[in-house]
Amino acid sequence: MRKRVFSGVQPSGILTLGNYLGAIKRFVEIQNEYEAFYCVVDYHAITVPQAPDSLRSQIAHTAAFMLGAGLDPDKMTLFVQSDVPTHTQLGWIMECTATFGELSRMTQFKDKSQGKESVSGGLFTYPALMAADILLYDADAVPVGEDQKQHVELCRDLAERFNSRFGKVLKVPEPLIGQTGARIMSLQDPHRKMSKSDPNPAGYISLADSPDDIVKKIKRAVTDSGREVAYDPDEKPALANLITIFAHCSEKSINDIVAAYDGKGYAEFKKDLADVVVEALTPIRMRHDAILADGSYIDVLRHGARRAHDVSSAVLRRVKEAMGLSLYIDPAGVRI
Ligand code: AMP
Ligand code: TRP
């Protein structure tokens, strides 16, 4: 039997080049090797306020970009989290499994809550819902960017704790993190990750950006002092980030890229970088536009939600049974 993977992407904005290189490109590559479940995690997105119209449209865009990037409905399952009620059901159980101390140590929570006067309870308990997402599918592995590693590790701890209390019920998953590309940084600040919720759009390349936008953003990207194209993440983090992007979009090695620009300046490197990024993203954007226009993503998501519901209901049932929770009506809503 093929091993399973599960991963989620928040519809909290238009996907960025960081999402693509750190996660979605990988989702596409592994869909042949694994039985894959990919989820547009809208319940995670509402941990911060979302306007209904923009949330609705971002869910559709996220699904269309994932399909446009090459996810194939005949090979994997794509669905929206809030279509499948088992997620919040196991989410609650995982909230009761996680401790306050553990959740307080999550660096993403610390980052996102810093300086805010008021944050939602959901922003704090979010990693418990993420653990539920993964555990509901008996996933062997979770392909994510580096920033999600701590959450996947918490998921493993929760699964192990649950199993030690109630017997071997949950599969303990492994994170699956790429070597490079796992952390694409902002074009304006190489110490911050490229993020779709960055208030300054110059910091990220979105998958919806036109070739013109891409050229402009790369031209404006900060570089380090000096003029030599050298890969040195400690001394020249901004340039190292651009070289990493180049490597991922062109499938060339970092060494080959550095060698090719020996004796040439930043300007020529940036011009070629813009070309390879445009070349990588244009087909995805065009397929996204077509998928959104013909509405074909809707059937994919409907079908995906049914399959996700079938698989996850069986796991939720196992969990409820082990814990002594009621089973008079099973999670699929069918009378037993
Ligand atoms: P999110 O946008 O937070 O839902 O992230 C979706 C996926 O993209 C997760 O696997 C993240 O780890 C990954 N990801 C997000 N931003 C980046 C980035 N700047 N570099 C690499 N991977 C990223
Ligand atoms: N927390 C992830 C992020 O912000 C999104 C996510 C939610 C996820 N549930 C998941 C990722 C389950 C992997 C598996 O990027």
Side-chain angles (χ1 to χ4, degrees):
M1 224 170 58
R2 279 188 305 167
K3 289 195 165 183
R4 272 207 192 139
V5 288
F6 181 95
S7 198
V9 179
Q10 295 197 48
S12 50
I14 298 293
L15 295 180
T16 68
L17 183 64
N19 291 127
Y20 177 60
L21 298 181
I24 293 163
K25 191 161 176 261
R26 200 85 186 294
F27 295 178
V28 175
E29 286 160 7
I30 63 180
Q31 67 183 336
N32 298 313
E33 186 188 334
Y34 289 89
E35 186 187 0
F37 289 84
Y38 298 126
C39 184
V40 179
V41 288
D42 53 351
Y43 278 139
H44 280 88
I46 62 163
T47 52
V48 296
Q50 302 285 344
D53 284 343
S54 91
L55 182 59
R56 219 180 330 270
S57 107
Q58 279 163 17
I59 291 170
H61 279 293
T62 303
F65 273 123
M66 291 173 81
L67 293 167
L71 290 181
D72 179 348
D74 292 331
K75 291 185 181 156
M76 53 88 231
T77 301
L78 178 68
F79 66 101
V80 181
Q81 189 181 28
S82 71
D83 279 329
V84 183
T86 49
H87 287 252
T88 40
Q89 291 174 288
L90 188 62
W92 175 253
I93 294 171
M94 286 300 125
E95 279 185 47
C96 297
T97 309
T99 66
F100 185 84
E102 235 161 18
L103 293 169
S104 310
R105 284 193 290 277
M106 295 294 115
T107 58
Q108 194 174 62
F109 174 72
K110 290 192 218 167
D111 290 347
K112 286 198 174 182
S113 58
Q114 205 178 31
K116 297 249 166 69
E117 228 168 70
S118 148
V119 299
S120 72
L123 191 68
F124 183 66
T125 57
Y126 150 129
L129 179 60
M130 172 163 166
D133 296 340
I134 298 165
L135 298 172
L136 279 169
Y137 297 88
D138 286 331
D140 296 281
V142 188
V144 279
E146 186 72 38
D147 62 316
Q148 295 301 314
K149 193 168 174 216
Q150 194 188 28
H151 291 157
V152 178
E153 256 141 34
L154 175 69
C155 171
R156 288 170 55 85
D157 290 346
L158 298 183
E160 275 162 6
R161 183 173 311 149
F162 188 97
N163 287 348
S164 74
R165 278 191 200 152
F166 300 111
K168 213 175 164 328
V169 177
L170 296 171
K171 176 101 174 216
V172 182
E174 303 279 346
L176 201 65
I177 297 174
Q179 294 293 319
T180 53
R183 201 166 163 77
I184 301 294
M185 310 311 283
S186 158
L187 300 181
Q188 293 297 316
D189 177 357
H191 301 291
R192 289 206 349 251
K193 76 163 186 170
M194 182 181 283
S195 162
K196 47 176 130 76
S197 48
D198 189 337
N200 178 7
Y204 60 83
I205 291 174
S206 115
L207 298 193
D209 281 347
S210 68
D212 259 10
D213 295 332
I214 295 174
V215 170
K216 276 190 204 130
K217 287 183 183 181
I218 290 181
K219 238 188 214 159
R220 287 181 56 196
V222 298
T223 39
D224 311 276
S225 55
R227 38 178 49 209
E228 200 192 323
V229 178
Y231 183 77
D232 184 344
D234 293 327
E235 294 297 319
K236 294 183 159 209
L239 192 61
N241 185 43
L242 298 182
I243 298 174
T244 302
I245 294 173
F246 199 127
H248 274 270
C249 290
S250 64
E251 308 286 349
K252 285 194 180 125
S253 76
I254 288 181
N255 285 341
D256 285 351
I257 295 165
V258 171
Y261 290 92
D262 187 26
K264 300 176 184 168
Y266 288 168
E268 188 167 347
F269 168 74
K270 278 185 162 184
K271 190 181 149 297
D272 293 351
L273 173 61
D275 285 346
V276 297
V277 173
V278 167
E279 212 172 295
L281 298 189
T282 300
I284 299 176
R285 185 168 45 82
M286 289 174 67
R287 282 194 296 266
H288 154 276
D289 292 352
I291 290 164
L292 212 58
D294 69 18
S296 54
Y297 67 96
I298 296 171
D299 263 355
V300 173
L301 294 176
R302 215 174 253 148
H303 183 79
R306 283 198 199 104
R307 162 120 183 92
H309 192 264
D310 286 347
V311 173
S312 60
S313 299
V315 177
L316 181 62
R317 194 187 149 81
R318 233 163 56 204
V319 166
K320 289 181 69 176
E321 197 158 20
M323 296 179 78
L325 288 164
S326 170
L327 283 168
Y328 295 131
I329 290 182
D330 85 4
V334 179
R335 234 165 241 287
I336 306 174

PDB file of all heavy atoms in Angstrom, residues 44 94 98 102-103 106 108-109 122-132 150-151 154-155 158:
ATOM      1  N   HIS A  44      -8.393  27.435   9.656  1.00  0.00           N
ATOM      2  CA  HIS A  44      -7.164  28.050  10.172  1.00  0.00           C
ATOM      3  C   HIS A  44      -7.095  29.533   9.814  1.00  0.00           C
ATOM      4  O   HIS A  44      -6.588  30.333  10.587  1.00  0.00           O
ATOM      5  CB  HIS A  44      -5.927  27.328   9.629  1.00  0.00           C
ATOM      6  CG  HIS A  44      -5.621  26.064  10.355  1.00  0.00           C
ATOM      7  ND1 HIS A  44      -6.165  24.855  10.004  1.00  0.00           N
ATOM      8  CD2 HIS A  44      -4.855  25.825  11.437  1.00  0.00           C
ATOM      9  CE1 HIS A  44      -5.741  23.930  10.836  1.00  0.00           C
ATOM     10  NE2 HIS A  44      -4.945  24.488  11.720  1.00  0.00           N
ATOM     11  N   MET A  94      -8.104  17.144  20.305  1.00  0.00           N
ATOM     12  CA  MET A  94      -6.669  17.467  20.373  1.00  0.00           C
ATOM     13  C   MET A  94      -6.406  18.689  21.266  1.00  0.00           C
ATOM     14  O   MET A  94      -5.377  18.779  21.918  1.00  0.00           O
ATOM     15  CB  MET A  94      -6.098  17.708  18.966  1.00  0.00           C
ATOM     16  CG  MET A  94      -5.938  16.438  18.178  1.00  0.00           C
ATOM     17  SD  MET A  94      -4.818  15.289  19.027  1.00  0.00           S
ATOM     18  CE  MET A  94      -5.853  13.841  19.137  1.00  0.00           C
ATOM     19  N   ALA A  98      -3.622  18.572  24.149  1.00  0.00           N
ATOM     20  CA  ALA A  98      -2.478  19.489  24.251  1.00  0.00           C
ATOM     21  C   ALA A  98      -2.526  20.226  25.582  1.00  0.00           C
ATOM     22  O   ALA A  98      -3.598  20.418  26.154  1.00  0.00           O
ATOM     23  CB  ALA A  98      -2.539  20.504  23.111  1.00  0.00           C
ATOM     24  N   GLU A 102       2.479  23.756  26.334  1.00  0.00           N
ATOM     25  CA  GLU A 102       2.920  23.356  24.990  1.00  0.00           C
ATOM     26  C   GLU A 102       2.482  24.369  23.931  1.00  0.00           C
ATOM     27  O   GLU A 102       3.268  24.786  23.082  1.00  0.00           O
ATOM     28  CB  GLU A 102       2.183  22.047  24.673  1.00  0.00           C
ATOM     29  CG  GLU A 102       2.993  20.889  24.292  1.00  0.00           C
ATOM     30  CD  GLU A 102       2.199  19.575  24.473  1.00  0.00           C
ATOM     31  OE1 GLU A 102       0.947  19.551  24.570  1.00  0.00           O
ATOM     32  OE2 GLU A 102       2.867  18.559  24.501  1.00  0.00           O
ATOM     33  N   LEU A 103       1.221  24.750  23.998  1.00  0.00           N
ATOM     34  CA  LEU A 103       0.696  25.700  23.007  1.00  0.00           C
ATOM     35  C   LEU A 103       1.377  27.065  23.163  1.00  0.00           C
ATOM     36  O   LEU A 103       1.614  27.766  22.181  1.00  0.00           O
ATOM     37  CB  LEU A 103      -0.825  25.825  23.131  1.00  0.00           C
ATOM     38  CG  LEU A 103      -1.611  24.558  22.764  1.00  0.00           C
ATOM     39  CD1 LEU A 103      -3.077  24.684  23.166  1.00  0.00           C
ATOM     40  CD2 LEU A 103      -1.511  24.253  21.272  1.00  0.00           C
ATOM     41  N   MET A 106       4.663  27.680  21.081  1.00  0.00           N
ATOM     42  CA  MET A 106       4.673  27.690  19.608  1.00  0.00           C
ATOM     43  C   MET A 106       5.158  29.045  19.103  1.00  0.00           C
ATOM     44  O   MET A 106       4.559  30.079  19.408  1.00  0.00           O
ATOM     45  CB  MET A 106       3.262  27.403  19.063  1.00  0.00           C
ATOM     46  CG  MET A 106       2.759  26.004  19.383  1.00  0.00           C
ATOM     47  SD  MET A 106       3.722  24.739  18.538  1.00  0.00           S
ATOM     48  CE  MET A 106       4.461  23.897  19.912  1.00  0.00           C
ATOM     49  N   GLN A 108       5.082  30.379  16.157  1.00  0.00           N
ATOM     50  CA  GLN A 108       4.182  31.109  15.260  1.00  0.00           C
ATOM     51  C   GLN A 108       3.147  31.905  16.063  1.00  0.00           C
ATOM     52  O   GLN A 108       2.811  33.023  15.698  1.00  0.00           O
ATOM     53  CB  GLN A 108       3.492  30.152  14.283  1.00  0.00           C
ATOM     54  CG  GLN A 108       2.837  30.908  13.142  1.00  0.00           C
ATOM     55  CD  GLN A 108       2.267  29.991  12.076  1.00  0.00           C
ATOM     56  OE1 GLN A 108       1.366  29.189  12.350  1.00  0.00           O
ATOM     57  NE2 GLN A 108       2.789  30.090  10.875  1.00  0.00           N
ATOM     58  N   PHE A 109       2.675  31.320  17.159  1.00  0.00           N
ATOM     59  CA  PHE A 109       1.724  32.049  17.998  1.00  0.00           C
ATOM     60  C   PHE A 109       2.394  33.292  18.592  1.00  0.00           C
ATOM     61  O   PHE A 109       1.828  34.386  18.590  1.00  0.00           O
ATOM     62  CB  PHE A 109       1.157  31.160  19.122  1.00  0.00           C
ATOM     63  CG  PHE A 109       0.296  31.940  20.076  1.00  0.00           C
ATOM     64  CD1 PHE A 109      -0.958  32.377  19.682  1.00  0.00           C
ATOM     65  CD2 PHE A 109       0.759  32.280  21.341  1.00  0.00           C
ATOM     66  CE1 PHE A 109      -1.751  33.147  20.537  1.00  0.00           C
ATOM     67  CE2 PHE A 109      -0.027  33.042  22.203  1.00  0.00           C
ATOM     68  CZ  PHE A 109      -1.283  33.466  21.798  1.00  0.00           C
ATOM     69  N   GLY A 122      -8.659  30.945  19.036  1.00  0.00           N
ATOM     70  CA  GLY A 122      -8.305  30.019  17.951  1.00  0.00           C
ATOM     71  C   GLY A 122      -6.861  30.163  17.500  1.00  0.00           C
ATOM     72  O   GLY A 122      -6.218  29.177  17.126  1.00  0.00           O
ATOM     73  N   LEU A 123      -6.335  31.387  17.558  1.00  0.00           N
ATOM     74  CA  LEU A 123      -4.939  31.578  17.155  1.00  0.00           C
ATOM     75  C   LEU A 123      -4.014  30.804  18.098  1.00  0.00           C
ATOM     76  O   LEU A 123      -2.981  30.284  17.696  1.00  0.00           O
ATOM     77  CB  LEU A 123      -4.580  33.072  17.163  1.00  0.00           C
ATOM     78  CG  LEU A 123      -3.238  33.423  16.520  1.00  0.00           C
ATOM     79  CD1 LEU A 123      -3.278  33.192  15.013  1.00  0.00           C
ATOM     80  CD2 LEU A 123      -2.859  34.862  16.805  1.00  0.00           C
ATOM     81  N   PHE A 124      -4.448  30.710  19.357  1.00  0.00           N
ATOM     82  CA  PHE A 124      -3.649  30.001  20.355  1.00  0.00           C
ATOM     83  C   PHE A 124      -3.768  28.473  20.194  1.00  0.00           C
ATOM     84  O   PHE A 124      -2.781  27.742  20.258  1.00  0.00           O
ATOM     85  CB  PHE A 124      -4.127  30.436  21.747  1.00  0.00           C
ATOM     86  CG  PHE A 124      -3.341  29.834  22.874  1.00  0.00           C
ATOM     87  CD1 PHE A 124      -2.003  30.176  23.052  1.00  0.00           C
ATOM     88  CD2 PHE A 124      -3.933  28.933  23.742  1.00  0.00           C
ATOM     89  CE1 PHE A 124      -1.267  29.606  24.086  1.00  0.00           C
ATOM     90  CE2 PHE A 124      -3.205  28.370  24.773  1.00  0.00           C
ATOM     91  CZ  PHE A 124      -1.862  28.707  24.945  1.00  0.00           C
ATOM     92  N   THR A 125      -4.993  27.999  19.948  1.00  0.00           N
ATOM     93  CA  THR A 125      -5.197  26.535  19.920  1.00  0.00           C
ATOM     94  C   THR A 125      -5.006  25.946  18.517  1.00  0.00           C
ATOM     95  O   THR A 125      -5.078  24.732  18.344  1.00  0.00           O
ATOM     96  CB  THR A 125      -6.613  26.170  20.419  1.00  0.00           C
ATOM     97  OG1 THR A 125      -7.576  26.849  19.595  1.00  0.00           O
ATOM     98  CG2 THR A 125      -6.824  26.564  21.866  1.00  0.00           C
ATOM     99  N   TYR A 126      -4.746  26.803  17.538  1.00  0.00           N
ATOM    100  CA  TYR A 126      -4.598  26.401  16.138  1.00  0.00           C
ATOM    101  C   TYR A 126      -3.736  25.145  15.902  1.00  0.00           C
ATOM    102  O   TYR A 126      -4.106  24.276  15.118  1.00  0.00           O
ATOM    103  CB  TYR A 126      -4.121  27.657  15.407  1.00  0.00           C
ATOM    104  CG  TYR A 126      -3.250  27.605  14.210  1.00  0.00           C
ATOM    105  CD1 TYR A 126      -3.625  28.305  13.058  1.00  0.00           C
ATOM    106  CD2 TYR A 126      -2.028  26.935  14.194  1.00  0.00           C
ATOM    107  CE1 TYR A 126      -2.812  28.318  11.944  1.00  0.00           C
ATOM    108  CE2 TYR A 126      -1.223  26.951  13.083  1.00  0.00           C
ATOM    109  CZ  TYR A 126      -1.616  27.634  11.963  1.00  0.00           C
ATOM    110  OH  TYR A 126      -0.825  27.631  10.858  1.00  0.00           O
ATOM    111  N   PRO A 127      -2.582  24.995  16.605  1.00  0.00           N
ATOM    112  CA  PRO A 127      -1.786  23.790  16.347  1.00  0.00           C
ATOM    113  C   PRO A 127      -2.512  22.488  16.709  1.00  0.00           C
ATOM    114  O   PRO A 127      -2.205  21.426  16.158  1.00  0.00           O
ATOM    115  CB  PRO A 127      -0.547  23.987  17.215  1.00  0.00           C
ATOM    116  CG  PRO A 127      -0.477  25.460  17.453  1.00  0.00           C
ATOM    117  CD  PRO A 127      -1.900  25.913  17.538  1.00  0.00           C
ATOM    118  N   ALA A 128      -3.486  22.559  17.625  1.00  0.00           N
ATOM    119  CA  ALA A 128      -4.251  21.349  17.965  1.00  0.00           C
ATOM    120  C   ALA A 128      -5.162  20.970  16.800  1.00  0.00           C
ATOM    121  O   ALA A 128      -5.329  19.786  16.475  1.00  0.00           O
ATOM    122  CB  ALA A 128      -5.072  21.587  19.234  1.00  0.00           C
ATOM    123  N   LEU A 129      -5.734  21.993  16.141  1.00  0.00           N
ATOM    124  CA  LEU A 129      -6.564  21.722  14.956  1.00  0.00           C
ATOM    125  C   LEU A 129      -5.693  21.182  13.827  1.00  0.00           C
ATOM    126  O   LEU A 129      -6.076  20.246  13.120  1.00  0.00           O
ATOM    127  CB  LEU A 129      -7.286  23.007  14.511  1.00  0.00           C
ATOM    128  CG  LEU A 129      -8.177  22.886  13.269  1.00  0.00           C
ATOM    129  CD1 LEU A 129      -9.285  21.856  13.468  1.00  0.00           C
ATOM    130  CD2 LEU A 129      -8.796  24.246  12.913  1.00  0.00           C
ATOM    131  N   MET A 130      -4.499  21.738  13.687  1.00  0.00           N
ATOM    132  CA  MET A 130      -3.594  21.251  12.646  1.00  0.00           C
ATOM    133  C   MET A 130      -3.207  19.787  12.908  1.00  0.00           C
ATOM    134  O   MET A 130      -3.127  18.981  11.978  1.00  0.00           O
ATOM    135  CB  MET A 130      -2.343  22.151  12.605  1.00  0.00           C
ATOM    136  CG  MET A 130      -1.271  21.622  11.693  1.00  0.00           C
ATOM    137  SD  MET A 130      -0.081  22.920  11.289  1.00  0.00           S
ATOM    138  CE  MET A 130       1.237  21.903  10.601  1.00  0.00           C
ATOM    139  N   ALA A 131      -3.007  19.439  14.175  1.00  0.00           N
ATOM    140  CA  ALA A 131      -2.689  18.041  14.510  1.00  0.00           C
ATOM    141  C   ALA A 131      -3.854  17.142  14.108  1.00  0.00           C
ATOM    142  O   ALA A 131      -3.659  16.073  13.520  1.00  0.00           O
ATOM    143  CB  ALA A 131      -2.398  17.924  16.010  1.00  0.00           C
ATOM    144  N   ALA A 132      -5.074  17.608  14.404  1.00  0.00           N
ATOM    145  CA  ALA A 132      -6.252  16.820  14.036  1.00  0.00           C
ATOM    146  C   ALA A 132      -6.312  16.612  12.524  1.00  0.00           C
ATOM    147  O   ALA A 132      -6.582  15.501  12.048  1.00  0.00           O
ATOM    148  CB  ALA A 132      -7.519  17.521  14.521  1.00  0.00           C
ATOM    149  N   GLN A 150       7.731  22.919  13.810  1.00  0.00           N
ATOM    150  CA  GLN A 150       7.389  22.845  15.232  1.00  0.00           C
ATOM    151  C   GLN A 150       5.957  22.340  15.435  1.00  0.00           C
ATOM    152  O   GLN A 150       5.684  21.570  16.356  1.00  0.00           O
ATOM    153  CB  GLN A 150       7.551  24.242  15.868  1.00  0.00           C
ATOM    154  CG  GLN A 150       7.545  24.201  17.374  1.00  0.00           C
ATOM    155  CD  GLN A 150       7.516  25.588  18.010  1.00  0.00           C
ATOM    156  OE1 GLN A 150       7.009  26.541  17.422  1.00  0.00           O
ATOM    157  NE2 GLN A 150       8.043  25.693  19.216  1.00  0.00           N
ATOM    158  N   HIS A 151       5.058  22.745  14.530  1.00  0.00           N
ATOM    159  CA  HIS A 151       3.667  22.276  14.632  1.00  0.00           C
ATOM    160  C   HIS A 151       3.562  20.778  14.341  1.00  0.00           C
ATOM    161  O   HIS A 151       2.762  20.080  14.966  1.00  0.00           O
ATOM    162  CB  HIS A 151       2.777  23.059  13.658  1.00  0.00           C
ATOM    163  CG  HIS A 151       2.582  24.493  14.039  1.00  0.00           C
ATOM    164  ND1 HIS A 151       2.228  25.462  13.133  1.00  0.00           N
ATOM    165  CD2 HIS A 151       2.678  25.123  15.235  1.00  0.00           C
ATOM    166  CE1 HIS A 151       2.125  26.624  13.746  1.00  0.00           C
ATOM    167  NE2 HIS A 151       2.391  26.448  15.017  1.00  0.00           N
ATOM    168  N   LEU A 154       4.687  18.967  17.367  1.00  0.00           N
ATOM    169  CA  LEU A 154       3.639  18.953  18.395  1.00  0.00           C
ATOM    170  C   LEU A 154       2.606  17.871  18.051  1.00  0.00           C
ATOM    171  O   LEU A 154       2.155  17.127  18.922  1.00  0.00           O
ATOM    172  CB  LEU A 154       2.951  20.318  18.503  1.00  0.00           C
ATOM    173  CG  LEU A 154       1.763  20.333  19.466  1.00  0.00           C
ATOM    174  CD1 LEU A 154       2.231  20.165  20.917  1.00  0.00           C
ATOM    175  CD2 LEU A 154       0.957  21.623  19.345  1.00  0.00           C
ATOM    176  N   CYS A 155       2.267  17.775  16.777  1.00  0.00           N
ATOM    177  CA  CYS A 155       1.305  16.756  16.346  1.00  0.00           C
ATOM    178  C   CYS A 155       1.799  15.359  16.725  1.00  0.00           C
ATOM    179  O   CYS A 155       1.043  14.531  17.225  1.00  0.00           O
ATOM    180  CB  CYS A 155       1.087  16.882  14.828  1.00  0.00           C
ATOM    181  SG  CYS A 155       0.131  15.539  14.120  1.00  0.00           S
ATOM    182  N   LEU A 158       1.365  14.873  20.433  1.00  0.00           N
ATOM    183  CA  LEU A 158      -0.038  14.659  20.824  1.00  0.00           C
ATOM    184  C   LEU A 158      -0.482  13.248  20.473  1.00  0.00           C
ATOM    185  O   LEU A 158      -1.181  12.590  21.247  1.00  0.00           O
ATOM    186  CB  LEU A 158      -0.946  15.697  20.147  1.00  0.00           C
ATOM    187  CG  LEU A 158      -0.691  17.156  20.508  1.00  0.00           C
ATOM    188  CD1 LEU A 158      -1.720  18.072  19.825  1.00  0.00           C
ATOM    189  CD2 LEU A 158      -0.727  17.387  22.018  1.00  0.00           C
TER     190      LEU A 158
END
